[in-house]
Amino acid sequence: MPHCVILYTPNVDAKCDMTALCRALADAMLTVRDEAGKQVFPTGGTRVLAYPAAHYAVADGKGDYAFVYLNVRMGAGRSEAVKQHAGDTLMDVVKRHFAPVFDSSLIGITLQVDESHGQVYDGKHSTLHPLFNP
């Protein structure tokens, strides 16, 4: 279930390595633990996907402005402290990754953590989970 989907303006591609960001975020997600020490984001279900926007408009359009939106979905039932810790952990990764870009470009970044509530259907079929859950 845990997913991080990144939507960004395509001018970001020239400024940094988005594949490296995806890997860094996935690795960070795998380190997040709850109060009992249990892994919050299961290894086999952790996915980070990045998509450049085909069309976009940022601010007044008078500059080469960039924007990155990250949406992290996690299953329901985590404490507020765990959700905050997950968000802080991932935002730290994002800030480190984009630090050189902030020094030379005008860019906005938003990271949101959502919890899945009231799902009507949640079908899964995977050969990944057995690899990590013997």
Side-chain angles (χ1 to χ4, degrees), residues 31-34 40 80-90:
T31 68
V32 177
R33 301 280 191 258
D34 65 15
V40 171
E80 291 303 315
V82 168
K83 290 182 268 189
Q84 183 70 42
H85 173 62
D88 290 344
T89 298
L90 298 177

Side-chain angles (χ1 to χ4, degrees), residues 6 14 16-17 20 26 44 46-47 59 70-71 111 120:
I6 306 167
C16 69
D17 182 348
T46 298
R47 293 141 174 87
L70 302 95
N71 179 256
L111 186 146
V120 176

